[in-house]
Amino acid sequence: MASSTDSNVKGENSQVSYKKYINTKTDRVLQSKKHANDIFDVIEYLQSEKDKEVIFATNACSKVFCQLFYRGDLYVGDLPEEEDLVNGDRSAEEKYRIFMRHRYSNCVELLLENIGHKAFQVKETSLCALMKFVAAEGKHPLQNLDEHYNFPRELLQTLVEHLLSEKEDMSLLISRFQEFLEMDDVRYYVMSSVRDNIYRVMGRNKKAVIPVYQNNVFTLLSTINVPSEASKMKHFLVRQDCKFEHKRAFEQMWLVFLKFKLPSNMYKKILVILHESIMPQMSDPTLLIDFLSAAYDIGGAISLLSLNGLFILIHKHNLDYPDFYKKLYSLLDPSIFHVKYRARFFHLVNIFLSSTHLPAYLVAAFVKRFARLSLTAPPTSLLILLPFICNLIRRHPSCRVLIHRPSTAEEPCDDPYVMEEEDPAQCHALESSLWEIKTLQKHYHPDVAKAAMKINEPLTEQEDDISELLELSTFELMERELKAERKTIPLEFDTATELLKSSREVLGVHFSLE
């Protein structure tokens, strides 16, 4: 027990000793210039193997150099080499400022290295310290420039480079960095830095996919929101009189990112937020047409998600997209009933097919395709499909021929519709009939059979509201069935309530549980 107690005491003493040691050295550096060399001892702790020591030393360095900034004790201008101090004719005051400026540079280098530290607390503390230096450099520039406004772009650009690591996922630290993006000047220069960084990194890797890097870039980009009006820009890290073109910087940043090849899962992440978070903040959303067209041609869920952006460009920006409906028609396959974005897809298809000016052959092709797919669709999708088909026929009365085709009622015949044909104009849908809906009237699920029966009745002019059905899940369908009230039906036998207890049953007469 004695040895354990001794080790605890030593641990506590060492914890107190390093804090006391760093505080003492920090105070000596700030109190007198003759103790300037003590800064070496404080900076040395930034490379300690113990996380707590690194964090404490980081805070101490932040305190020291911020004070030196405010005092004007850091050399301003092009920094001379330290070797030149011995032979130069400089005053003691100037030599001190040059010396401390070099120590500041050493400190910044080590803090940037610690952005990639294994411990998140060390990363976070280093990030906050570096942003304090950004603010201090902005208020007390280290270069003699004639510009009216000096922002430490190089320091911020270097910090952004370390956040956009090619080997380590920095999502958590980037979420912490989001706090600083609330400031308008920081946001603007971060956007410029990200744009330049993407060009450099992706160009160096010959435009190959870099999943970790591109995920870090996307995480940072998706946290940036620009003000809708310049008058709302009032939060600055450094006081300034310049005006920033935030929308243009935001637009250029995203266009550069989307210019290069992306991982397939990245397409989905971008397309989910594109219509709400990216396009409204761009000065010219039509510049996204190349990206959206490429995504639309990929197929599968990515094509489904790209519909949102294309719809906005077609509807609001008068985009002319050739063969749009032909491509949309080719997206209709059994997978659309099982993707996560099913509700959004049907919502958009409903909008695209809402115009009464569409040719009859085109609408008939979509109706017939949906009807054929319904033969293998799950009940939750069928409860969307059947009212949807009825709505399309209501909008386009010329398609009623698909329901009322006399030849199909008399005897079986070959269906002229060609399911494999990709061109809706060549699939012969108008020559066919909706025998698939007739088949679904014998479906095992009563709600599906009931919905299919509606096609036997004259269709009303009022369309069915399918918005509530778009998000319907199998669980909700089961819950609805279990909660439904059942009518009591008279039976010709006693309902069994217990095993082997009924005296009128054969088993109950000859067997018992006793």
Side-chain angles (χ1 to χ4, degrees):
M1 292 298 291
S3 59
S4 175
T5 305
D6 291 343
S7 64
N8 289 337
V9 170
K10 288 179 181 178
E12 291 176 4
N13 288 338
S14 63
Q15 185 175 359
V16 172
S17 61
Y18 84 79
K19 288 185 178 180
K20 185 177 180 181
Y21 180 79
I22 293 174
N23 282 333
T24 301
K25 293 289 184 180
T26 301
D27 293 339
R28 281 163 59 91
V29 170
L30 292 174
Q31 287 170 3
S32 175
K33 293 178 181 179
K34 67 181 181 181
H35 298 302
N37 282 329
D38 286 345
I39 193 64
F40 282 111
D41 299 321
V42 180
I43 292 175
E44 188 178 3
Y45 270 96
L46 295 177
Q47 298 174 290
S48 172
E49 295 181 357
K50 296 180 180 179
D51 298 346
K52 291 182 178 179
E53 292 181 0
V54 177
I55 293 169
F56 199 81
T58 301
N59 291 327
C61 287
S62 175
K63 177 183 176 182
V64 169
F65 290 110
C66 284
Q67 283 287 332
L68 295 178
F69 266 113
Y70 299 142
R71 291 180 186 176
D73 284 342
L74 293 179
Y75 182 80
V76 177
D78 295 331
L79 187 63
E81 297 292 333
E82 282 195 273
E83 292 77 9
D84 298 340
L85 294 180
V86 179
N87 302 323
D89 298 335
R90 303 177 185 274
S91 66
E93 180 70 25
E94 191 175 12
K95 288 182 179 180
Y96 169 78
R97 290 179 180 176
I98 294 172
F99 173 81
M100 295 308 292
R101 172 83 179 274
H102 276 288
R103 302 292 74 76
Y104 170 69
S105 299
N106 297 150
C107 176
V108 168
E109 289 176 9
L110 292 173
L111 290 178
L112 288 169
E113 284 182 19
N114 286 340
I115 290 292
H117 199 277
K118 59 183 179 180
F120 177 73
Q121 286 184 317
V122 174
K123 292 181 180 181
E124 183 182 25
T125 309
S126 301
L127 174 67
C128 294
L130 286 166
M131 288 308 295
K132 286 181 181 178
F133 291 161
V134 170
E137 278 196 43
K139 294 172 183 175
H140 307 277
L142 294 178
Q143 295 292 332
N144 285 317
L145 300 175
D146 295 330
E147 295 181 13
H148 188 62
Y149 171 57
N150 294 318
F151 190 93
R153 305 171 199 179
E154 290 186 9
L155 177 56
L156 187 64
Q157 187 171 0
T158 311
L159 175 57
V160 168
E161 287 177 6
H162 283 76
L163 286 175
L164 302 179
S165 170
E166 297 179 42
K167 299 179 180 179
E168 182 184 358
D169 182 6
M170 304 292 280
S171 300
L172 195 58
L173 190 62
I174 290 172
S175 65
R176 179 67 179 84
F177 184 63
Q178 186 176 2
E179 170 193 328
F180 301 102
L181 294 175
E182 296 296 322
M183 287 169 277
D184 299 306
D185 49 354
V186 174
R187 185 193 312 115
Y188 177 79
Y189 287 112
V190 164
M191 290 191 289
S192 301
S193 300
V194 171
R195 180 195 63 211
D196 297 340
N197 185 262
I198 295 171
Y199 260 127
R200 185 168 56 257
V201 174
M202 297 304 294
R204 186 175 68 236
N205 288 274
K206 298 180 180 179
K207 300 183 181 181
V209 173
I210 316 172
V212 175
Y213 170 76
Q214 287 172 303
N215 187 65
N216 286 331
V217 174
F218 172 75
T219 304
L220 180 56
L221 264 59
S222 58
T223 61
I224 297 176
N225 294 300
V226 300
S228 56
E229 299 175 8
S231 59
K232 295 182 179 179
M233 298 181 194
K234 299 178 180 177
H235 305 288
F236 299 99
L237 185 69
V238 181
R239 181 178 293 181
Q240 54 80 47
D241 298 317
C242 301
K243 290 185 178 180
F244 303 114
E245 293 185 9
H246 271 69
K247 281 203 169 187
R248 182 160 180 76
F250 181 87
E251 182 178 272
Q252 291 176 343
M253 174 185 67
W254 272 106
L255 289 174
V256 168
F257 180 57
L258 300 178
K259 175 183 177 181
F260 297 99
K261 187 178 180 182
L262 301 169
S264 58
N265 65 329
M266 185 66 66
Y267 275 102
K268 295 178 183 178
K269 290 179 181 179
I270 294 170
L271 291 168
V272 165
I273 66 169
L274 186 75
H275 64 290
E276 291 182 347
S277 303
I278 301 175
M279 296 180 79
Q281 301 187 71
M282 294 180 67
S283 55
D284 186 8
T286 57
L287 295 172
L288 290 170
I289 182 58
D290 291 337
F291 170 73
L292 287 169
S293 299
Y296 196 41
D297 292 335
I298 290 174
I302 294 175
S303 293
L304 301 186
L305 289 170
S306 66
L307 284 174
N308 244 338
L310 284 173
F311 170 70
I312 292 173
L313 294 182
I314 292 171
H315 183 65
K316 295 184 178 179
H317 300 278
N318 301 317
L319 173 72
D320 183 19
Y321 191 95
D323 297 328
F324 175 78
Y325 284 98
K326 182 179 177 180
K327 179 64 180 176
L328 180 62
Y329 180 75
S330 68
L331 292 179
L332 303 183
D333 59 42
S335 66
I336 63 174
F337 303 123
H338 306 286
V339 293
K340 185 166 56 173
Y341 316 105
R342 181 189 67 181
R344 180 180 295 188
F345 173 70
F346 276 101
H347 171 71
L348 289 171
V349 171
N350 186 39
I351 294 173
F352 288 133
L353 297 176
S354 61
S355 173
T356 56
H357 298 290
L358 294 175
Y361 78 84
L362 182 65
V363 179
F366 277 91
V367 169
K368 187 61 183 174
R369 185 94 163 193
F370 278 126
R372 185 63 62 85
L373 292 172
S374 68
L375 294 175
T376 56
T380 50
S381 298
L382 286 172
L383 292 176
I384 300 172
L385 267 183
L386 292 169
F388 186 62
I389 290 173
C390 291
N391 285 347
L392 289 178
I393 296 174
R394 286 187 180 99
R395 292 173 200 166
H396 307 272
S398 55
C399 293
R400 290 178 186 268
V401 67
L402 296 173
I403 305 173
H404 307 292
R405 191 173 293 282
S407 60
T408 59
E410 296 173 1
E411 57 183 15
C413 60
D414 293 333
D415 190 344
Y417 173 70
V418 184
M419 181 73 172
E420 294 75 21
E421 177 59 54
E422 294 183 358
D423 188 352
Q426 305 296 327
C427 67
H428 305 290
L430 270 176
E431 302 168 25
S432 183
S433 66
L434 295 181
W435 58 266
E436 297 91 347
I437 309 300
K438 193 77 174 175
T439 305
L440 291 174
Q441 293 176 2
K442 304 295 183 182
H443 198 274
Y444 71 88
H445 197 287
D447 288 351
V448 174
K450 184 179 178 181
M453 286 288 186
K454 287 186 177 181
I455 210 161
N456 294 341
E457 306 168 2
L459 294 176
T460 61
E461 293 184 5
Q462 183 67 33
E463 291 189 9
D464 295 326
D465 183 11
I466 63 170
S467 58
E468 295 181 359
L469 299 171
L470 292 177
E471 300 285 355
L472 184 66
S473 65
T474 305
F475 176 78
E476 290 171 337
L477 198 60
M478 290 291 293
E479 283 289 302
R480 194 166 70 182
E481 286 295 314
L482 292 171
K483 292 178 181 179
E485 294 184 3
R486 304 294 180 198
K487 293 181 180 179
T488 304
I489 303 172
L491 304 173
E492 294 183 357
F493 56 88
D494 293 337
T495 305
T497 56
E498 295 178 292
L499 184 63
L500 305 180
K501 286 291 185 179
S502 175
S503 59
R504 296 174 58 181
E505 296 290 338
V506 176
L507 288 175
V509 172
H510 297 285
F511 298 93
S512 69
L513 294 176
E514 295 178 358

